[in-house]
Amino acid sequence: MAMQRTLSIIKPDATRRNLTGEINARFEKAGLRIVAQRRIQLSRAQAEAFYAVHKERPFYNDLCNFMTSGPVVVQALEGEDAIAQNRKVMGATNPAEAEAGTIRKDFAESIEANSVHGSDAPETAAQEIAFFFAGVDIVG
């Protein structure tokens, strides 16, 4: 296994319910280190740019609306096989299909308001981390 970095976003449904600490504790318990972190309010332009890969999908507008509905916590996580490890801790995108004990099973309100986002591949992780953080922002 290789050391990797991945992007994590704690979504508006989770920040609204003050779950940031509980979610981060799960990442850390799984061996992931938070090496960059920022609480922000995404603008519409930022949300549209970040989710541009989904622009032609029917859920794109609703996703952008949701992601701008409240603050989010963007963070870079680092660890052995961090992308797969993060996705395991998060659980399936659809909380109804997520395994017991995962973030989405325990905290998601719906398939859209599923509390967290995580990168799905090394290339995506690099792009997503760079979207929110400069190299000097990442420490650890």
Side-chain angles (χ1 to χ4, degrees), residues 46-97:
Q46 286 173 310
E48 288 176 353
F50 185 77
Y51 288 107
V53 66
H54 299 302
K55 190 169 185 150
E56 302 305 319
R57 309 283 291 273
F59 60 81
Y60 175 73
N61 191 51
D62 288 341
L63 176 61
C64 292
N65 287 339
F66 171 65
M67 291 302 291
T68 59
S69 70
V72 297
V73 175
V74 294
Q75 50 197 11
L77 306 176
E78 181 178 82
E80 292 284 333
D81 204 21
I83 295 165
Q85 187 63 21
N86 181 39
R87 296 187 73 74
K88 180 179 176 183
V89 172
M90 289 190 307
T93 302
N94 183 346
E97 298 170 2

